Coordinates of all heavy atoms in Angstrom, one line a residue:
A4 N 4.7 2.3 0.5 CA 4.6 1.2 1.6 C 6.1 1.0 2.0 O 6.3 0.9 3.3 CB 4.0 -0.1 1.1
H5 N 7.0 0.9 1.1 CA 8.4 0.7 1.6 C 9.0 1.8 2.4 O 9.6 1.6 3.4 CB 9.2 0.5 0.4 CG 10.6 0.2 0.6 ND1 11.6 1.2 0.7 CD2 11.4 -1.0 0.7 CE1 12.8 0.7 1.0 NE2 12.7 -0.6 1.0
H6 N 8.6 3.0 1.9 CA 9.1 4.3 2.7 C 8.5 4.2 4.0 O 9.2 4.5 5.1 CB 8.7 5.5 1.9 CG 9.1 6.8 2.6 ND1 10.4 7.3 2.6 CD2 8.3 7.5 3.5 CE1 10.3 8.5 3.3 NE2 9.1 8.6 3.9
A7 N 7.2 4.1 4.3 CA 6.4 4.1 5.5 C 7.0 3.2 6.4 O 7.2 3.4 7.7 CB 5.0 3.9 5.3
A8 N 7.3 1.8 6.0 CA 7.7 0.8 6.8 C 9.2 1.0 7.3 O 9.5 0.9 8.5 CB 7.6 -0.5 6.2
L9 N 10.1 1.4 6.4 CA 11.5 1.4 6.5 C 11.9 2.7 7.2 O 13.0 2.7 7.8 CB 12.3 1.2 5.2 CG 12.5 -0.3 4.9 CD1 13.4 -0.9 5.8 CD2 11.2 -1.1 4.6
N10 N 11.2 3.7 7.1 CA 11.5 5.0 7.7 C 10.7 5.3 8.9 O 10.6 6.5 9.3 CB 11.5 6.2 6.7 CG 12.4 6.0 5.5 OD1 13.6 6.5 5.7 ND2 12.1 5.5 4.4
E11 N 10.0 4.3 9.4 CA 9.3 4.5 10.6 C 8.3 5.6 10.6 O 8.4 6.5 11.4 CB 10.2 4.6 11.8 CG 11.2 3.5 12.1 CD 10.3 2.3 12.7 OE1 9.2 2.4 13.2 OE2 11.0 1.2 12.7
R12 N 7.4 5.5 9.6 CA 6.4 6.6 9.5 C 5.0 6.1 9.7 O 4.2 5.7 8.7 CB 6.5 7.1 8.0 CG 7.7 7.9 7.7 CD 7.7 9.3 8.4 NE 6.4 10.1 8.1 CZ 6.3 11.0 7.0 NH1 7.3 11.1 6.2 NH2 5.2 11.7 6.9
P13 N 4.7 5.8 10.9 CA 3.3 5.2 11.2 C 2.2 6.1 10.8 O 1.2 5.6 10.6 CB 3.4 5.2 12.8 CG 4.5 6.1 13.2 CD 5.5 6.0 12.2
D14 N 2.5 7.5 10.6 CA 1.4 8.4 10.2 C 1.1 8.0 8.6 O 0.0 8.6 8.3 CB 2.0 9.8 10.2 CG 3.2 10.1 9.4 OD1 4.2 9.3 9.7 OD2 3.2 11.0 8.6
L15 N 1.8 7.3 8.0 CA 1.5 7.0 6.6 C 0.9 5.6 6.5 O 0.7 5.1 5.4 CB 2.8 7.0 5.7 CG 3.4 8.4 5.6 CD1 4.8 8.3 4.9 CD2 2.5 9.4 5.0
A16 N 0.6 4.9 7.6 CA 0.2 3.5 7.5 C -1.0 3.4 6.8 O -1.2 2.4 6.0 CB 0.1 2.9 8.9
R17 N -2.1 4.2 7.0 CA -3.3 4.0 6.4 C -3.2 4.3 4.9 O -3.9 3.5 4.1 CB -4.3 4.9 7.0 CG -4.7 4.3 8.4 CD -5.5 5.5 9.2 NE -6.8 5.8 8.7 CZ -7.9 5.7 9.5 NH1 -7.8 5.4 10.7 NH2 -9.2 5.9 8.9
Q18 N -2.5 5.2 4.6 CA -2.3 5.7 3.1 C -1.7 4.5 2.5 O -2.0 4.1 1.2 CB -1.6 7.0 3.0 CG -1.4 7.4 1.5 CD -0.6 8.8 1.6 OE1 -0.4 9.4 2.6 NE2 -0.2 9.2 0.4
A19 N -0.5 3.9 3.1 CA 0.2 2.9 2.4 C -0.6 1.6 2.3 O -0.6 0.9 1.2 CB 1.4 2.6 3.2
A20 N -1.4 1.3 3.4 CA -2.2 0.0 3.3 C -3.3 0.2 2.2 O -3.6 -0.8 1.4 CB -2.9 -0.1 4.6
S21 N -3.9 1.4 2.1 CA -4.8 1.6 1.0 C -4.2 1.4 -0.4 O -4.8 0.7 -1.3 CB -5.5 3.0 1.1 OG -6.3 3.1 2.2
A22 N -3.0 2.0 -0.6 CA -2.4 1.8 -1.9 C -2.1 0.3 -2.3 O -2.3 -0.1 -3.4 CB -1.0 2.6 -1.9
L23 N -1.6 -0.4 -1.2 CA -1.2 -1.8 -1.6 C -2.6 -2.6 -1.8 O -2.5 -3.5 -2.7 CB -0.5 -2.3 -0.4 CG 0.9 -2.0 -0.2 CD1 1.5 -2.7 1.1 CD2 1.8 -2.2 -1.3
Y24 N -3.6 -2.3 -1.1 CA -4.9 -3.0 -1.3 C -5.4 -2.8 -2.7 O -5.8 -3.6 -3.5 CB -5.9 -2.6 -0.3 CG -7.3 -3.1 -0.5 CD1 -7.7 -4.3 0.1 CD2 -8.2 -2.3 -1.2 CE1 -9.0 -4.7 -0.1 CE2 -9.7 -2.8 -1.3 CZ -9.9 -4.0 -0.8 OH -11.2 -4.5 -0.9
H25 N -5.3 -1.6 -3.3 CA -5.7 -1.1 -4.6 C -4.9 -1.8 -5.5 O -5.3 -2.3 -6.6 CB -5.8 0.3 -4.7 CG -6.8 1.0 -3.8 ND1 -8.0 0.4 -3.4 CD2 -6.8 2.2 -3.2 CE1 -8.5 1.3 -2.6 NE2 -7.8 2.4 -2.5
A26 N -3.6 -1.8 -5.3 CA -2.6 -2.5 -6.2 C -2.9 -4.0 -6.3 O -3.0 -4.6 -7.6 CB -1.2 -2.4 -5.9
L27 N -3.2 -4.6 -5.3 CA -3.4 -6.1 -5.2 C -4.7 -6.3 -6.0 O -4.9 -7.2 -6.8 CB -3.4 -6.6 -3.9 CG -3.9 -8.0 -3.6 CD1 -3.0 -9.1 -4.4 CD2 -3.9 -8.4 -2.2
S28 N -5.8 -5.7 -5.7 CA -7.1 -5.8 -6.3 C -7.0 -5.6 -7.8 O -7.7 -6.4 -8.5 CB -8.1 -5.1 -5.5 OG -7.9 -3.6 -5.7
L29 N -6.3 -4.6 -8.2 CA -6.2 -4.3 -9.7 C -5.6 -5.4 -10.3 O -6.1 -5.9 -11.4 CB -5.3 -3.0 -9.9 CG -5.1 -2.5 -11.3 CD1 -5.0 -1.1 -11.4 CD2 -3.9 -3.2 -11.9
A30 N -4.4 -6.0 -9.8 CA -3.8 -7.2 -10.4 C -4.7 -8.4 -10.5 O -4.9 -9.1 -11.4 CB -2.5 -7.4 -9.8
A31 N -5.4 -8.6 -9.3 CA -6.3 -9.7 -9.2 C -7.5 -9.6 -10.2 O -7.9 -10.7 -10.9 CB -6.8 -9.9 -7.9
L32 N -8.0 -8.4 -10.5 CA -9.2 -8.2 -11.4 C -8.6 -8.5 -12.7 O -9.4 -9.1 -13.5 CB -9.7 -6.8 -11.2 CG -10.5 -6.6 -10.0 CD1 -10.7 -5.0 -9.7 CD2 -11.9 -7.3 -10.0
R33 N -7.5 -8.0 -13.2 CA -6.9 -8.3 -14.5 C -6.7 -9.8 -14.7 O -6.9 -10.3 -15.8 CB -5.7 -7.6 -14.8 CG -5.9 -6.0 -14.7 CD -5.1 -5.3 -15.7 NE -5.3 -3.8 -15.6 CZ -6.2 -3.1 -16.0 NH1 -7.3 -3.7 -16.7 NH2 -6.2 -1.7 -15.9
W34 N -6.2 -10.5 -13.6 CA -6.0 -12.0 -13.7 C -7.3 -12.6 -13.9 O -7.6 -13.6 -14.7 CB -5.2 -12.4 -12.6 CG -5.0 -14.0 -12.4 CD1 -4.1 -14.7 -13.2 CD2 -5.8 -14.9 -11.7 NE1 -4.3 -16.0 -13.0 CE2 -5.4 -16.2 -12.1 CE3 -6.9 -14.8 -10.8 CZ2 -5.9 -17.3 -11.5 CZ3 -7.4 -15.9 -10.3 CH2 -6.9 -17.1 -10.6

């Protein structure tokens, strides 16, 4: 996500958003 945003890679936006969603949901589920 950092690379896609800071290096102006809009082609990676969906991949990055999915990764962050899964990371957040994983942490929430463990909590």
Side-chain angles (χ1 to χ4, degrees):
H5 182 272
H6 175 85
L9 274 296
N10 291 278
E11 298 289 346
R12 289 291 304 274
D14 56 307
L15 297 177
R17 290 164 70 126
Q18 184 180 346
S21 292
L23 292 180
Y24 176 87
H25 299 323
L27 171 60
S28 61
L29 179 148
L32 287 163
R33 298 222 184 277
W34 176 79

